[in-house]
Structure formats: C-alpha cells, structure tokens
Amino acid sequence: MNIKVAETDIEIKDALNIRKTVFVNEQQVPLSIEMDDHDEEAIHFIGYLNEVPILASRLRFVDDYGKLERICVLKEHRGKSFGQHVIHTMESTIKDHGYTRALLNAQEHAIGFYEKLGYRVKSKPFIDAGISHVTMEKSISSRQSFKKQQSYNQ
C-alpha cells in the first residue's frame, strides 16, 4: 500500500474517482454535495495497492485544527487497516503543518473505528448529505509519535 499526497492530475483524478465510487454511487450522496469548493484548497491523499487506486481522503486546515474529510476505501478493500493507515498519514501531515488538533465528521456507523484511533465524540448526531454524522476530535501533541511513512507494506 502506497499512500501519498495526490499531486499530479492523474493522482487527483484517481482520488476524486474513488470518492465518486464510494460516496456518490454506493452511498447515494449527490455529486453536487460530494464535490465542493473546498476541493480546490484541500490536500488530497490517494492510496494505491499494486498501482491500483483503492482509497482517498482530503485534509483542510480550519481555524486551529486539521480537518480530515472524505475518507473512503473501496468496498472490497475495507477491513484491512488501510483506513487506519490513511488517518495516520493525515495526522502526520497535520503535525508537519504545526497543528495539534484533528477534527472530523464521522458517519455514525464509523464511530468505533475512529474511537480506536483516539478520536472522541464532541457533538450530538446531525444529518449531512442525508447521512447521520457526529463531530469527533483528537489532540495530536508533539509528544505523540506517529511513524512518518509515505508507504505501508501490506
């Protein structure tokens, strides 16, 4: 598994296609909601397994935190720790930019996944794109040590 910042047009296109597959096709989120103006300012991540794109996410810096967004793994690759790896990569990027807090809006079914990674629920459930979410937060202090890797061997 190679997780990296999407920098080329092909890598960005791959990331957006993964998001369309998961959120638009699978979860029925309207394309007009999934693809928004924040895509232009965000750092996009793409994950390749044997050179095939299988996961994507984006990161934005808002106020005093890094906001993890649009985290998705193709259905056939879920449950193999790839989501955990992309979260760690995003957290390392947050630290590299000098921030100490990470925030995300998790779909309710994924709360347990994020709790295992140290995130805590900080809101009541709310509906976004027709799906129930909660806001979750994690402190990323300089004392915490994340393995800075661009590539994960699975």
Side-chain angles (χ1 to χ4, degrees), residues 15-140:
L16 297 178
N17 283 336
I18 296 291
R19 286 173 44 193
K20 285 179 191 173
T21 298
V22 173
F23 295 120
V24 177
N25 298 341
E26 185 181 325
Q27 296 184 357
Q28 303 301 305
V29 172
L31 183 62
S32 61
I33 294 173
E34 174 53 32
M35 303 298 164
D36 61 24
D37 293 339
H38 297 304
D39 281 325
E40 293 180 27
E41 69 186 71
I43 298 171
H44 297 269
F45 293 84
I46 183 71
Y48 294 98
L49 182 63
N50 300 322
E51 300 181 30
V52 175
I54 66 156
L55 69 80
S57 64
R58 78 177 187 193
L59 173 65
R60 294 187 305 123
F61 296 102
V62 180
D63 299 326
D64 64 342
Y65 57 87
K67 188 171 184 198
L68 290 72
E69 300 177 322
R70 308 300 203 265
I71 302 159
C72 56
V73 178
L74 291 178
K75 194 173 199 172
E76 60 270 24
H77 296 286
R78 293 180 197 150
K80 301 175 184 174
S81 300
F82 298 137
Q84 176 181 335
H85 293 315
V86 75
I87 298 296
H88 287 290
T89 301
M90 295 173 80
E91 290 172 347
S92 290
T93 302
I94 291 169
K95 281 180 59 177
D96 290 348
H97 282 80
Y99 291 81
T100 60
R101 286 191 329 144
L103 194 85
L104 57 85
N105 292 330
Q107 292 182 9
E108 275 198 290
H109 71 85
I111 291 172
F113 168 76
Y114 292 112
E115 285 177 332
K116 288 177 186 173
L117 295 173
Y119 287 81
R120 298 293 167 246
V121 174
K122 66 172 273 177
S123 77
K124 292 182 179 180
F126 61 91
I127 302 298
D128 185 19
I131 301 168
S132 185
H133 287 74
V134 294
T135 298
M136 301 185 78
E137 182 179 37
K138 179 179 181 178
S139 175
I140 303 174

